[in-house]
Amino acid sequence: MIERSFVMIKPDGVRRGLTGECIRRFEQRGLKVVELKMLTAGRALAENHYGVHRGKPFFESVVDFISSGPVVAMVIEGESAIAAIRQIVGATRPLEAAPGSIRGDFALEVGENIVHASDGVETATQEIALWFGQG
Ligand code: DAT
Ligand code: MG
């Protein structure tokens, strides 16, 4: 199935100059970037994006973090894109992320794990609408 995923280089990834490295890995796998923009998310957008985590102890810190500086927001398309991208990104906790994954290669802390990627078809649809609008 050809799928679309919402992918974002988080403020730590942008600050560390890892945007190109991340995009290279997605493209090298055969996936295609179909939308891309750089922006700094406001509080409302950040809270909406992480709405599923509202009430969890780390909610405030992830919202603060994601809105702390510029991010690169993308829609990436391809065969089984959602699972393929999660594989390229690696596990949420960098110490559990396989070497060779983005988080396994470049991150140490769960709070600064470089990239966000949609975790399913429904969340991808919601996140693409949230960040790029319906049109
Ligand atoms: P993922 O980004 O792999 O989809 P998630 O949706 O479970 O992970 O969590 C969203 C982000 O919130 C994650 O990238 C980093 C942060 N986070 C998750 N669990 C955390 C925790 N236990 N402590 C601090 N931050 C956490
Ligand atoms: Mg998630």
Side-chain angles (χ1 to χ4, degrees):
M1 279 282 279
I2 301 292
E3 295 172 343
R4 287 185 160 205
S5 181
F6 173 71
V7 181
M8 171 172 48
I9 314 301
K10 299 185 189 184
D12 56 329
V14 172
R15 198 182 330 112
R16 290 173 59 192
L18 294 171
T19 301
E21 172 69 23
C22 293
I23 293 174
R24 186 188 64 75
R25 289 177 180 219
F26 298 129
E27 290 185 331
Q28 178 175 269
R29 189 73 184 272
L31 298 160
K32 190 174 175 192
V33 178
V34 295
E35 304 263 16
L36 182 149
K37 64 182 176 186
M38 178 176 266
L39 73 161
T40 300
R43 181 118 200 133
L45 177 58
E47 286 188 355
N48 205 330
H49 175 74
Y50 280 128
V52 66
H53 297 301
R54 196 181 290 278
K56 294 183 187 168
F58 59 85
F59 179 70
E60 287 299 324
S61 67
V62 290
V63 167
D64 283 347
F65 176 62
I66 209 68
S67 56
S68 68
V71 299
V72 174
M74 293 175 274
V75 178
I76 299 185
E77 185 180 89
E79 176 61 36
S80 304
I82 292 165
I85 291 166
R86 294 287 293 193
Q87 189 180 52
I88 294 165
V89 167
T92 304
R93 294 169 188 279
L95 293 184
E96 293 167 10
S101 66
I102 292 170
R103 288 166 172 171
D105 287 349
F106 299 114
L108 283 171
E109 294 178 39
V110 67
E112 299 202 359
N113 59 13
I114 302 174
V115 52
H116 167 86
S118 304
D119 63 8
V121 174
E122 273 182 34
T123 44
T125 304
Q126 287 166 11
E127 290 169 355
I128 291 167
L130 178 65
W131 290 83
F132 286 97
Q134 302 284 352

